[in-house]
Amino acid sequence: STRFKEDKMNKELAKIEDQFPVLSASTGEVAEVIQENFDDGIDPFLLEWIKVPPGGSIMWEREDSDPQKALRGIIVGKLTPRARWESDLSETGGGTPPDCTSVDGKTGIFTDEDGKVKVLQCATCPYNQFGSKGRGKACKEMVWLFLLLEGEILPVIVSVPPTSIKECKKYTRRLTAKLVPYWSAITELTLTKDKSKDGITYSKIQFSMVGKLEGAEKEKMAKYREAFMPAIEAIKSRVQDVMANEHTAEA
């Protein structure tokens, strides 16, 4: 009976390590490769960005693969930036850096017409209230998920739009209720079609836990995250550039 349990545990561990190669590599090896290949920090535009498709599509699209119904992986990190543009997209044509930017979704940095830098609290900012731009907010809230997909070494960045942030927060709440850190859950992202009050069809992300890491594999993932954290910090410094690119994508 004990031998059977051990064999079953070893098979399950081997299966998860097959799905996620970073769990079978040594922590030092992963950290060394990341450091050597990206000694000046990982440029956010070098990682693959995956965005919610337009028009209510339920298929994810990637750079070098066929459309797929689900993205399955481990969220190794996340950022919650915000941005606001003084001029409308129709006026600028997109591609312009935001006038107010927040890296953590809590504190915004705004430069006024006189060049004075002001620090704003996002929670009380009038531009962060529903109705400040149509039915929505004038300040664009985003979540960037660093998702380590099965069979890969570097995560992709899934850009969660405002219309899916509520689902993302609900998922975090469910994991918290089960005492599961988000980076130890094997997460599946699928798309459903929805329609706004204005009659616009769009795609919404659905989050579900399809497995979790435990024991040695959980410890290895914690060390992988530690090795990758400097890359996330480097990306924080490029938030304005990324937001400008996001603004272009909406044009």
Side-chain angles (χ1 to χ4, degrees), residues 39 44 49 73 87 130 194:
D39 54 352
W49 284 77
S87 301
F130 285 104
D194 208 339

Side-chain angles (χ1 to χ4, degrees), residues 32-52:
E32 183 180 351
V33 169
I34 291 176
Q35 185 175 356
E36 287 188 358
N37 289 358
F38 301 98
D39 54 352
D40 55 350
I42 293 181
D43 187 323
F45 297 107
L46 292 180
L47 293 176
E48 180 182 355
W49 284 77
I50 300 179
K51 299 181 180 181
V52 170

Side-chain angles (χ1 to χ4, degrees), residues 99-229:
D99 297 285
C100 185
T101 308
S102 174
V103 174
D104 59 5
K106 298 176 182 178
T107 304
I109 306 298
F110 173 68
T111 304
D112 64 17
E113 294 178 355
D114 299 325
K116 294 181 179 179
V117 177
K118 296 181 179 179
V119 178
L120 307 174
Q121 298 305 311
C122 298
T124 56
C125 179
Y127 295 108
N128 188 36
Q129 310 306 318
F130 285 104
S132 56
K133 184 178 181 180
R135 296 179 186 271
K137 300 179 179 181
C139 178
K140 182 178 180 180
E141 182 181 6
M142 300 291 291
V143 176
W144 297 339
L145 300 178
F146 295 80
L147 184 66
L148 182 64
L149 294 169
E150 292 179 340
E152 302 190 16
I153 296 293
L154 283 177
V156 299
I157 303 177
V158 179
S159 183
V160 181
T163 48
S164 293
I165 288 178
K166 187 176 181 179
E167 295 300 322
C168 187
K169 290 180 177 178
K170 283 182 179 179
Y171 179 59
T172 302
R173 184 197 66 204
R174 294 197 300 270
L175 293 179
T176 303
K178 296 178 181 179
L179 292 178
V180 178
Y182 69 82
W183 50 267
S184 69
I186 299 176
T187 301
E188 186 171 84
L189 279 61
T190 55
L191 296 166
T192 59
K193 185 183 294 187
D194 208 339
K195 184 176 289 188
S196 71
K197 292 181 179 179
D198 296 321
I200 299 173
T201 301
Y202 66 94
S203 303
K204 181 188 289 185
I205 305 176
Q206 298 295 322
F207 300 79
S208 58
M209 184 176 77
V210 294
K212 64 178 180 178
L213 307 180
E214 295 180 303
E217 60 203 35
K218 184 177 177 181
E219 291 179 10
K220 286 185 177 181
M221 181 51 61
K223 291 178 179 178
Y224 173 83
R225 287 185 74 243
E226 184 179 348
F228 193 74
M229 278 304 152

Side-chain angles (χ1 to χ4, degrees), residues 20-73:
F20 301 99
V22 295
L23 297 177
S24 58
S26 70
T27 304
E29 180 184 359
V30 173
E32 183 180 351
V33 169
I34 291 176
Q35 185 175 356
E36 287 188 358
N37 289 358
F38 301 98
D39 54 352
D40 55 350
I42 293 181
D43 187 323
F45 297 107
L46 292 180
L47 293 176
E48 180 182 355
W49 284 77
I50 300 179
K51 299 181 180 181
V52 170
S57 171
I58 59 170
M59 301 293 285
W60 291 102
E61 295 183 6
R62 296 194 61 188
E63 291 177 354
D64 301 314
S65 62
D66 295 330
Q68 52 198 86
K69 287 187 176 181
L71 298 175
R72 180 177 293 190

